[in-house]
Amino acid sequence: MEGYRVLEIKQSVFENNDREADKLREQLKQEKTFLLNLMSSPGSGKTTTLKATIAALKDEFRIGVMEADIDSDVDAATIEKTGAKVIQLHTGGMCHLDAGMTKQGLIGLGTQDIDFAILENIGNLVCPAEFDTGAVKNAMILSVPEGHDKPLKYPLMFSICDVLLINKIDVLPYFDFDIEECKKYVLRLNPNMKIIPICARTGEGIDEFAQWLREQITAWNA
Amino acid sequence: MEGYRVLEIKQSVFENNDREADKLREQLKQEKTFLLNLMSSPGSGKTTTLKATIAALKDEFRIGVMEADIDSDVDAATIEKTGAKVIQLHTGGMCHLDAGMTKQGLIGLGTQDIDFAILENIGNLVCPAEFDTGAVKNAMILSVPEGHDKPLKYPLMFSICDVLLINKIDVLPYFDFDIEECKKYVLRLNPNMKIIPICARTGEGIDEFAQWLREQITAWNA
C-alpha cells in the first residue's frame, strides 16, 4: 500500500488571489513553515531535482512535498522513497495552482511538523506564473534541451522567480544551448535572479541550491 | 525590415467553442485549406520540425504558418527564412488558442492562396489540449529529454492528437527514454495515434511525417 494520500483539489472561490496568498504566507510565517513553489516545463527534471535536494537537506529540516499533477501519482510514488512526507494533489485538468488550492494541499499534507514544504507545480511555463500560490520563494527549472531562448518566450515565469536552476548540464555538448546568452536574457528580465547550473541526475550543483535554500529557510523560520 | 506581421489576438467572445471550431473547419473545407494544429511543451522542437517539414513540402503546397507566442517574434523570424508565408500571433499572456483566436489568425494570414496552414500553438501540454482550434488534424511533439512518462501526466493532450512525433531521437543514448514504453502508454490512451520518431535537426523521420501530411492534405483539399 502506498504511504501517500491523493487529494482531489477544487478550483478556489476567492476573487482576490493576491490577498489569499498574502494571508497564507502570514500563516506559514507564524507556523514556521517555509514554502517553496517549484515550476518548470514538463520533463525539465523537477522530481529528480527534488529527490537530490531532499537527500541534501533531510537531516536538517522536516520536509513535506505536495506533488501537483493533473492525473497521475508517478511523482508522489518517487518522492515517497526519499522518506519525505508527501501528498499527491490532483488538479482535475487545471493548469496551475492558486493560493486557495495550495492551502487545501497544505491542510492535506499537514504542516504542524514541517519546516520546509515544497509545492511541485504543474509542468507548465505559462499559467503557474500568473498565480501567487502563497509560497515564500519561487524556483524554476529550465533544462538544457529546451533551449536558451525560453526567457524570451515565457518572460513572466522568469520575472517572478527567485532562483533559476539550469538543469541537465551533462548534455550541454549535445545541444546548442548557450549558458551565457541564457543568463543575459534572464538577468535583463530579472536582475535579482539567482542562477545555478545543475545536473539533478548526477547531483552536480545541488549543494549550491541546498545552501541557498538553507539560508532562505533559516531566515524565514527564525 | 521583417516580412511578417505581428497580430495581437484577443480572447474570443464565443461561448460555444466547439461550435465555432466546427464552423471554422467547414469554412476551411470550402476554401480547400488544410489546417494543422501543432502542440508541445516549450523547447520540444516545434519550430525546427516545422522548418524541416516546410522544406519537404513547399514545392507541392502553398504553405502558411501562424506562430503563436505570448510575447516574442523569435519563431516567425525563423520560419520566414523558409519562404513560407508567416504571421506572428501574440496572445497577450493567454496559454492557448481557441477557434475564435485561430480564426483571427487565419484572417490575418490570409488563406485564399494557402493549401496547407499550420498553427504553432503556445508551448504547453495542458491548456491547448482543452480547446478545439478548428484544425483538421492535431499534431504533437514529445522530445526524448522530457521523458517517456509524459502520456501518464498529460493524458488529454495525448488523447486528442492524430499524430505524435517523438523528437530528438539523436540524444536517446544520453537519456533514460524507453520508446516502446512510451508507445504503450500512448496507444492505451489513443489506439489510433500515428507515432513517428524523428530528429528535426538532422531530418531523420521527416519524410514519414511529410508523407502522412501529404495524404491528409490531399484528402481534405480534394
Side-chain angles (χ1 to χ4, degrees):
Chain A
M1 204 193 113
E2 291 110 353
Y4 57 85
R5 276 177 58 206
V6 176
L7 183 66
E8 310 288 333
I9 55 176
K10 291 167 192 68
Q11 194 162 357
S12 47
V13 293
F14 304 113
E15 274 184 38
N16 191 334
N17 183 61
D18 286 346
R19 195 174 53 204
E20 288 305 314
D22 285 339
K23 279 170 60 181
L24 184 54
R25 258 186 302 274
E26 277 169 36
Q27 190 188 322
L28 290 166
K29 182 78 187 161
Q30 283 168 9
E31 291 178 356
K32 293 182 186 290
T33 302
F34 177 91
L35 174 62
L36 181 78
N37 175 24
L38 179 59
M39 297 174 284
S40 82
S41 294
S44 298
K46 288 189 293 303
T47 311
T48 309
T49 301
L50 278 189
K51 269 174 63 181
T53 306
I54 291 167
L57 293 173
K58 72 183 162 57
D59 296 335
E60 298 164 61
F61 304 107
R62 296 169 299 172
I63 302 175
V65 179
M66 296 177 282
E67 285 292 338
D69 254 310
I70 290 170
D71 185 36
S72 91
D73 303 353
V74 183
D75 294 340
T78 304
I79 292 297
E80 198 201 359
K81 292 180 193 142
T82 64
K85 195 172 174 183
V86 63
I87 188 166
Q88 178 74 52
L89 310 182
H90 280 173
T91 65
M94 287 288 291
C95 50
H96 66 273
L97 277 89
D98 63 16
M101 296 160 84
T102 305
K103 192 175 176 178
Q104 292 173 51
L106 287 166
I107 292 169
L109 181 68
T111 50
Q112 63 291 341
D113 56 354
I114 297 294
D115 310 309
F116 176 26
I118 304 160
L119 169 63
E120 184 180 329
N121 215 312
I122 301 286
N124 182 341
L125 284 188
V126 187
C127 320
E130 293 168 18
F131 294 87
D132 188 341
T133 59
V136 183
K137 295 286 174 184
N138 291 315
M140 71 169 293
I141 301 177
L142 174 67
S143 65
V144 164
E146 294 171 68
H148 61 257
D149 63 345
K150 292 301 157 289
L152 302 178
K153 301 174 114 188
Y154 305 93
L156 185 62
M157 180 60 82
F158 288 83
S159 303
I160 59 122
C161 281
D162 301 287
V163 60
L164 164 65
L165 306 175
I166 301 181
N167 191 21
K168 308 192 187 177
I169 54 168
D170 57 327
V171 295
L172 272 169
Y174 314 112
F175 291 92
D176 304 322
F177 187 99
D178 186 329
I179 284 209
E180 292 313 312
E181 197 75 1
C182 183
K183 285 182 180 171
K184 207 168 71 184
Y185 292 150
V186 171
L187 294 173
R188 202 182 294 154
L189 288 166
N190 184 350
N192 299 317
M193 183 83 100
K194 169 87 172 169
I195 303 175
I196 309 175
I198 66 165
C199 174
R201 206 165 53 157
T202 63
E204 193 176 347
I206 293 295
D207 276 354
E208 189 179 349
F209 181 45
Q211 180 55 27
W212 182 86
L213 283 168
R214 192 176 283 121
E215 289 162 14
Q216 311 299 321
I217 299 167
T218 309
W220 181 258
N221 293 358
Chain B
M1 206 195 111
E2 292 110 355
Y4 58 86
R5 275 176 59 205
V6 176
L7 183 67
E8 310 288 333
I9 55 176
K10 291 167 194 71
Q11 194 162 358
S12 46
V13 292
F14 304 113
E15 275 185 38
N16 190 334
N17 184 62
D18 286 345
R19 193 172 53 200
E20 288 305 314
D22 286 338
K23 278 169 60 179
L24 185 53
R25 257 187 301 274
E26 276 169 38
Q27 190 188 323
L28 290 167
K29 182 77 186 164
Q30 283 166 9
E31 292 178 356
K32 293 183 185 292
T33 301
F34 177 91
L35 174 62
L36 181 79
N37 175 23
L38 180 60
M39 296 173 284
S40 83
S41 293
S44 298
K46 288 189 294 303
T47 311
T48 309
T49 301
L50 279 189
K51 268 174 64 182
T53 307
I54 291 168
L57 293 173
K58 72 182 163 61
D59 295 335
E60 297 165 61
F61 304 106
R62 295 169 301 172
I63 302 175
V65 179
M66 296 178 283
E67 285 292 338
D69 253 310
I70 291 170
D71 186 33
S72 91
D73 303 352
V74 183
D75 293 340
T78 304
I79 292 297
E80 198 200 358
K81 293 179 192 140
T82 65
K85 195 172 174 184
V86 62
I87 188 166
Q88 178 74 52
L89 311 182
H90 281 173
T91 65
M94 288 288 290
C95 51
H96 66 273
L97 277 90
D98 62 16
M101 296 159 85
T102 305
K103 191 173 175 179
Q104 292 173 52
L106 287 167
I107 291 168
L109 182 67
T111 49
Q112 64 290 344
D113 56 355
I114 297 293
D115 310 308
F116 176 26
I118 304 160
L119 171 63
E120 184 180 328
N121 216 311
I122 300 287
N124 181 340
L125 283 188
V126 188
C127 321
E130 293 167 18
F131 294 86
D132 188 341
T133 58
V136 183
K137 296 286 173 183
N138 290 315
M140 71 170 293
I141 301 176
L142 173 69
S143 65
V144 163
E146 294 170 67
H148 61 256
D149 64 345
K150 292 301 156 292
L152 302 177
K153 301 174 114 189
Y154 305 92
L156 184 62
M157 180 59 83
F158 287 85
S159 303
I160 59 123
C161 282
D162 302 286
V163 59
L164 164 65
L165 306 175
I166 302 181
N167 192 22
K168 307 190 187 179
I169 54 168
D170 57 326
V171 295
L172 272 169
Y174 314 113
F175 290 91
D176 304 322
F177 187 98
D178 186 329
I179 282 207
E180 292 313 312
E181 198 75 2
C182 182
K183 285 182 180 172
K184 207 168 70 185
Y185 292 150
V186 171
L187 294 173
R188 203 182 294 153
L189 288 166
N190 183 352
N192 299 317
M193 183 83 100
K194 168 86 174 169
I195 303 175
I196 310 176
I198 67 166
C199 175
R201 208 166 51 157
T202 63
E204 193 177 346
I206 293 295
D207 277 353
E208 190 179 350
F209 181 45
Q211 180 54 30
W212 182 85
L213 283 168
R214 192 175 283 123
E215 289 163 14
Q216 310 300 321
I217 299 167
T218 309
W220 180 257
N221 293 358

